């Protein structure tokens, strides 16, 4: 949804845009080519290295920073940047990360069940820890992201029964085990277990908490110019919900009962530009089927005058 992202962010010379999930730098490149200076953040050091290589022809038009989007204020402050004219969050993981066998993110991976996007801390929780260490009730909670309660209970039960005999070592092993038990008495394909592997990945990287904090952080870093915009691209229903609810909460922060005058003093900082999530066009899905799950949300920062008028 490169075109839609550009329609909302309106990149041009003189603008500083923050890409909080740089990945391979695909979106960043388009923003740079339109004339903007891009600050790119990613929690995966190897993604930054690859993006730096891809963006090398645009030297001087970008700055890349390793870290999490929830820490963007500190990361930008260290660079002397106080605010930005626009912000992009393209949540989740890149195709590169998914296809990297060693990360254990795909149902075909026969290497370690790591699943971390940031592998710099040897003590950080891995997918292996979640699958082999969590209590059964916590596995049910993790799998509830997939949205099928009864199935989630059955999958958690079989994981616990299996690991009691031997630990589950790889993503492929996990996918085969889940495929054998998602539907009672019927073996489905390992690929059908992909949403459950995604749920383990989301838990391992605390992705939904990070997404919430990243959106809040992005909104707070937007300069109060009435044009500074945040755009989110999300890829599955749990991310869509987080994006929609977080932006709505920032646009309607008052917690007082609707029938009473406001005493909480919380005023909106943004206005949502997309009352409904935007879908990719049919042409885009046709030429890039992976884009079919993407949904776009956007909101604009309110200027002090806008905020005054809303009181
Ligand atoms: C979907 S990819 C982004 C693709 C990118 N827009 C492009 O065009 O190449 C998501 C990226 O966000 C990174 N990421 C995920 N969660 C993050 C977080 N909390 N903070 C920073 N980066 C994060 C992942 O490591 C991954 O590289």
């Amino acid at each position: 949804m490169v075109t839609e992202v550009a329609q909302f962010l309106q990149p041009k010379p003189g603008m500083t845009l923050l890409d909080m999930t740089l990945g391979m730098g695909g979106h960043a490149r388009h923003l740079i080519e339109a004339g903007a200076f891009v600050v790119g953040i990613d929690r995966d050091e190897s993604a930054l290295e690859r993006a730096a290589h891809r963006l090398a022809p645009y030297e001087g038009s970008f700055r890349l920073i390793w870290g999490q989007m929830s820490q963007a204020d500190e990361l930008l402050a260290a660079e002397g940047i106080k605010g930005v004219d626009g912000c992009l969050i393209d949540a989740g993981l890149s195709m590169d990360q998914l296809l990297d066998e060693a990360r254990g993110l795909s149902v075909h991976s026969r290497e370690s069940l790591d699943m971390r996007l940031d592998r710099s801390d040897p003590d950080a929780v891995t997918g292996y820890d979640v699958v082999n260490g969590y209590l059964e009730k916590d596995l049910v909670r993790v799998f509830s992201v997939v949205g099928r309660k009864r199935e989630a209970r059955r999958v958690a039960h079989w994981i616990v029964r299996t690991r009691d005999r031997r630990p589950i070592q790889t993503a492929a092993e996990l996918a085969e085990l889940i495929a054998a038990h998602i539907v009672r008495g019927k073996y489905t394909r390992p690929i059908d277990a992909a949403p459950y592997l995604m749920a383990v990945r989301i838990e391992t990287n605390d992705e939904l908490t990070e997404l919430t904090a990243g959106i809040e952080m992005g909104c707070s870093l937007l300069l109060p110019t009435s044009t500074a915009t945040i755009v989110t691209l999300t890829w599955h229903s749990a991310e869509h919900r987080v994006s929609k609810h977080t932006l709505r909460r920032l646009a309607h922060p008052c917690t007082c009962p609707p029938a009473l005058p406001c005493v909480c003093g919380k005023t909106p900082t943004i206005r949502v530009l997309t009352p409904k999530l935007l879908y990719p066009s049919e042409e885009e899905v046709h030429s890039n089927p992976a884009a079919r799950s993407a949904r776009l949300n956007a909101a604009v920062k309110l200027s002090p005058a806008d905020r005054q008028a809303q009181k």
Side-chain angles (χ1 to χ4, degrees), residues 1 233-237 239-240 277-280 285 288-296:
M1 300 185 82
L233 287 175
T234 50
W235 295 88
H236 54 81
S237 58
E239 285 180 353
H240 304 330
L277 296 171
L278 296 191
Y279 287 55
V285 174
N288 173 20
R292 70 187 179 283
S293 318
R295 302 288 180 267
L296 185 149

Side-chain angles (χ1 to χ4, degrees), residues 3-4 279-289 291-292:
T3 310
E4 292 85 347
Y279 287 55
S281 65
E282 276 179 27
E283 298 81 67
E284 178 164 4
V285 174
H286 185 71
S287 62
N288 173 20
R292 70 187 179 283

Side-chain angles (χ1 to χ4, degrees), residues 131-183:
V131 169
N132 292 294
Y134 271 30
L135 295 174
E136 187 167 334
K137 71 175 173 46
D138 292 324
L139 285 175
V140 175
R141 171 184 60 75
V142 167
F143 293 140
S144 65
V145 163
V146 174
R148 302 169 212 137
K149 200 79 199 243
R150 203 192 267 172
E151 231 178 72
R153 276 201 223 104
R154 193 158 50 236
V155 167
H157 169 76
W158 280 100
I159 287 178
V160 171
R161 271 190 72 165
T162 307
R163 75 184 193 198
D164 281 349
R165 281 178 275 123
R166 54 177 170 79
I168 297 160
Q169 302 279 5
T170 70
E173 205 181 320
L174 178 63
E176 281 154 19
L177 166 69
I178 294 173
H181 297 289
I182 300 178
V183 182

Side-chain angles (χ1 to χ4, degrees), residues 231-253:
V231 175
T232 67
L233 287 175
T234 50
W235 295 88
H236 54 81
S237 58
E239 285 180 353
H240 304 330
R241 268 197 303 278
V242 167
S243 170
K244 195 169 130 187
H245 292 157
T246 309
L247 289 175
R248 285 228 179 117
R249 176 165 51 76
L250 295 172
H252 304 283

Side-chain angles (χ1 to χ4, degrees), residues 13 25 84 98 114 205 230 237 272 274:
V84 293
L98 181 66
D114 186 315
N205 297 290
I230 180 166
S237 58
V272 175
T274 42

Side-chain angles (χ1 to χ4, degrees), residues 13-274:
M15 276 180 122
T16 298
L17 298 177
L18 173 61
D19 184 344
M20 297 176 102
T21 51
L22 182 75
M24 295 294 290
H27 280 281
R29 181 170 63 82
H30 286 278
L31 301 173
I32 293 169
E33 283 176 349
F37 182 85
V38 171
V39 181
I41 294 177
D42 204 293
R43 73 194 296 185
D44 175 6
E45 258 180 311
S46 60
L48 282 181
E49 277 165 29
R50 283 194 298 272
H53 186 67
R54 267 186 106 186
L55 297 175
Y58 307 96
E59 190 59 52
S61 300
F62 63 89
R63 176 82 187 91
L64 305 188
I65 310 172
W66 175 51
Q68 292 181 203
M69 55 178 149
S70 57
Q71 307 158 340
D73 54 350
E74 290 165 27
L75 300 172
L76 262 62
E79 300 291 324
I81 302 169
K82 292 200 179 75
V84 293
D85 301 294
C87 185
L88 172 65
I89 296 178
D90 179 6
L93 79 168
S94 67
M95 205 43 100
D96 258 37
Q97 290 165 328
L98 181 66
L99 298 179
D100 178 356
E101 280 271 312
R103 288 181 193 264
L105 289 163
S106 104
V107 297
H108 306 295
S109 167
R110 298 216 171 261
E111 294 193 30
S112 69
L113 189 49
D114 186 315
M115 292 201 164
R116 291 171 302 163
L117 295 179
D118 170 7
R119 290 182 290 178
S120 63
D121 177 1
D123 296 328
V125 171
T126 62
Y128 180 96
D129 298 330
V130 172
V131 169
N132 292 294
Y134 271 30
L135 295 174
E136 187 167 334
K137 71 175 173 46
D138 292 324
L139 285 175
V140 175
R141 171 184 60 75
V142 167
F143 293 140
S144 65
V145 163
V146 174
R148 302 169 212 137
K149 200 79 199 243
R150 203 192 267 172
E151 231 178 72
R153 276 201 223 104
R154 193 158 50 236
V155 167
H157 169 76
W158 280 100
I159 287 178
V160 171
R161 271 190 72 165
T162 307
R163 75 184 193 198
D164 281 349
R165 281 178 275 123
R166 54 177 170 79
I168 297 160
Q169 302 279 5
T170 70
E173 205 181 320
L174 178 63
E176 281 154 19
L177 166 69
I178 294 173
H181 297 289
I182 300 178
V183 182
R184 195 194 298 270
K186 189 172 165 222
Y187 185 82
T188 51
R189 296 163 309 160
I191 193 70
D192 297 324
Y196 287 92
L197 267 68
M198 181 186 78
V200 177
R201 186 203 89 212
I202 291 172
E203 175 72 13
T204 304
N205 297 290
D206 202 8
E207 290 181 27
L208 300 180
T209 313
E210 262 296 308
L211 181 57
T212 307
I215 294 171
E216 289 169 351
M217 183 62 73
C219 289
S220 75
L221 285 166
L222 292 176
L223 293 165
T225 57
S226 294
T227 55
T229 301
I230 180 166
V231 175
T232 67
L233 287 175
T234 50
W235 295 88
H236 54 81
S237 58
E239 285 180 353
H240 304 330
R241 268 197 303 278
V242 167
S243 170
K244 195 169 130 187
H245 292 157
T246 309
L247 289 175
R248 285 228 179 117
R249 176 165 51 76
L250 295 172
H252 304 283
C254 175
T255 47
C256 302
L260 298 176
C262 170
V263 289
C264 73
K266 294 178 188 147
T267 55
T269 50
I270 57 162
R271 180 165 53 83
V272 175
L273 299 171
T274 42

